[in-house]
Amino acid sequence: MLKEGELRIPSGCAISGIIDKEGKKFNGDEIIKSIALMHDRSNGLGGGFAAYGIYPQYKDFYALHIFYDNLSIKVQTEDFISKHFDIEIAGNIPTKPVPGVKNKPLIWRYFVHPRNYMIKEGFVDEAEFTSRYIIKINKEYKGAYVFSSGKNMGTFKGVGYPEDIGKFFMLDTYEGYMWMAHGRFPTNTPGWWGGAHPFTMLDWSVVHNGEISSYDANRRFVEMYGYKCTLQTDTEVITYLFDMLVRKHNIPMEKAIKAVAAPFWEDIERENKEVQSELKSIRSVYASALINGPFSIILGFEKGMIALNDRIKLRSLVAAEKGSRTYVASEESAIRIICDNPHKIWSPQGGG
């Protein structure tokens, strides 16, 4: 018979994030060390990282990171990209052999800018133009997957344990002011390169521990606004929800959070009339944006990082601060291994 402590059943997946609020840059060693500590939360079917501030020399260009299944689809996709974007520079993303990372696709990177005359003809801004064509590639070009598309940021992910993925992409050679990481333990979706976290759209990136039971309602909602979920993982829809609410609908981030992790009706009734009215409006208008199910999320974007728990805290999430750094992770130990004696450490409340 097993004794207490000899059997560990983790609550699936590991997430970790670090941001320097003064914009000081550091390489990927710390985030790899943090996520590696939570090795047993993963099963080797997905790991990934997002890093911000890593492309200062190309900060005005969208950095498209793309997986290709073969050379034929690469040629077709590049032809499509060149018709709609000016390509400043392109090349394969540097990697090195790692025993735990196998069957890699072709992995390429393009620094691009939408063609100005096409933006004007479409009566959209460059972000909307870029997002539409990213969705089009992922939807219509079978075997090509744009897995990162922001400015001065990039996502690096694949099939393997996260510490192996970090070594594979040589993240110690990149420097950024914000890093996020994910170790995957898929339960009802396939483990494949495009399905690893983070999921991104423009400068938004999301890592997630949990399960979205409201996925179909959320998916139908975002697809009404032109998005298409193609990467076979429920987390993808979270990224599109925030992109839609904040970028497209111009809702302040605080209100977008109240839409996806809305307070319970009984809690709303305890607020004053003005707050009640606002929260009821958000819940009514964006009912289909409400995320149900157990989750802890780290959301990265150009202006910072947000960590969010489900409303009844069914997934673990810990935060800490020291100096100009803020840390979040699934486990306190994953913070303490890279941050000695944090000035403040706490566990956010459900829905907080």
Side-chain angles (χ1 to χ4, degrees):
M1 177 181 288
L2 290 173
K3 297 179 181 179
E4 184 178 358
E6 291 183 341
L7 176 63
R8 181 179 182 221
I9 304 175
S11 57
C13 298
I15 61 175
S16 183
I18 314 168
I19 182 172
D20 190 295
K21 292 177 284 186
E22 293 179 356
K24 299 173 186 175
K25 293 185 178 182
F26 51 101
N27 70 25
D29 281 338
E30 289 181 63
I31 194 69
I32 293 173
K33 191 175 182 179
S34 174
I35 200 72
L37 185 76
M38 300 181 284
H39 177 89
D40 289 343
R41 282 179 168 264
S42 310
N43 64 358
L45 291 180
F49 301 81
Y52 288 74
I54 58 173
Y55 297 136
Q57 67 273 43
Y58 299 110
K59 62 183 176 62
D60 296 324
F61 296 88
Y62 292 96
L64 306 185
H65 293 190
I66 306 181
F67 291 140
Y68 295 115
D69 285 353
N70 53 61
L71 283 172
S72 175
I73 192 62
K74 176 177 177 290
V75 171
Q76 295 175 47
T77 306
E78 288 182 337
D79 181 61
F80 176 83
I81 292 172
S82 64
K83 288 178 180 177
H84 300 90
F85 297 86
D86 295 315
I87 301 175
E88 179 71 6
I89 190 170
N92 62 308
I93 296 180
T95 61
K96 69 177 182 181
V98 173
V101 181
K102 302 175 182 178
N103 302 318
K104 69 172 184 175
L106 303 174
I107 310 172
W108 278 68
R109 174 171 57 201
Y110 308 81
F111 292 99
V112 305
H113 191 277
R115 292 183 179 257
N116 287 325
Y117 79 90
M118 299 186 84
I119 293 175
K120 293 177 181 177
E121 288 179 353
F123 298 100
V124 294
D125 61 21
E126 64 175 37
E128 179 62 18
F129 180 94
T130 302
S131 68
R132 289 182 184 182
Y133 284 101
I134 291 165
I135 292 168
K136 188 174 180 67
I137 291 172
N138 288 346
K139 177 183 176 183
E140 299 180 9
Y141 286 72
K142 185 174 175 58
Y145 307 96
V146 181
F147 65 97
S148 186
S149 54
K151 288 184 176 182
N152 200 16
M153 62 81 64
T155 292
F156 306 86
K157 64 182 186 177
V159 175
Y161 284 100
E163 57 267 35
D164 291 333
I165 296 297
K167 294 173 186 175
F168 173 75
F169 281 108
M170 300 186 292
L171 296 186
D172 59 338
T173 65
Y174 295 83
E175 288 197 336
Y177 61 87
M178 180 169 69
W179 292 82
M180 295 159 49
H182 186 268
R184 192 169 182 222
F185 197 117
T187 52
N188 55 12
T189 52
W192 69 292
W193 284 72
H197 302 210
F199 289 92
T200 71
M201 171 55 69
L202 302 176
D203 70 312
W204 304 99
S205 59
V206 168
V207 293
H208 162 229
N209 168 24
E211 185 173 349
I212 306 303
S213 58
S214 57
Y215 171 74
D216 276 333
N218 301 146
R219 176 187 57 79
R220 289 193 296 269
F221 186 50
V222 298
E223 289 185 350
M224 289 170 56
Y225 292 90
Y227 298 92
K228 186 66 178 177
C229 294
T230 58
L231 299 178
Q232 304 175 56
T233 306
D234 55 4
T235 307
E236 181 185 15
V237 78
I238 302 173
T239 312
Y240 300 154
L241 281 169
F242 278 102
D243 182 62
M244 181 191 74
L245 293 170
V246 180
R247 181 179 65 84
K248 283 194 173 188
H249 293 186
N250 200 30
I251 296 173
M253 178 59 75
E254 294 81 2
K255 291 183 172 59
I257 291 171
K258 295 300 184 184
V260 301
F264 291 106
W265 288 111
E266 61 195 52
D267 294 328
I268 292 175
E269 293 298 331
R270 296 190 183 102
E271 301 287 351
N272 63 54
K273 289 186 178 181
E274 184 178 347
V275 174
Q276 277 188 36
S277 177
E278 181 179 274
L279 291 175
K280 287 178 179 179
S281 295
I282 292 171
R283 288 215 58 175
S284 298
V285 174
Y286 290 106
S288 296
L290 175 65
I291 299 173
N292 271 321
F295 65 79
S296 56
I297 296 167
I298 304 175
L299 170 72
F301 59 114
E302 182 185 9
K303 295 180 180 180
M305 182 174 74
I306 290 172
L308 181 65
N309 246 149
D310 63 77
R311 296 183 294 174
I312 53 177
K313 201 169 177 63
L314 292 170
R315 287 293 182 266
S316 59
L317 185 67
V318 181
E321 291 181 346
K322 184 175 183 179
S324 60
R325 296 269 192 96
T326 296
Y327 305 81
V328 288
S330 298
E331 298 182 12
E332 182 177 334
S333 56
I335 295 174
R336 290 192 178 273
I337 195 171
I338 56 173
C339 176
D340 291 332
N341 301 315
H343 297 153
K344 179 183 178 183
I345 192 160
W346 74 100
S347 184
Q349 296 180 347

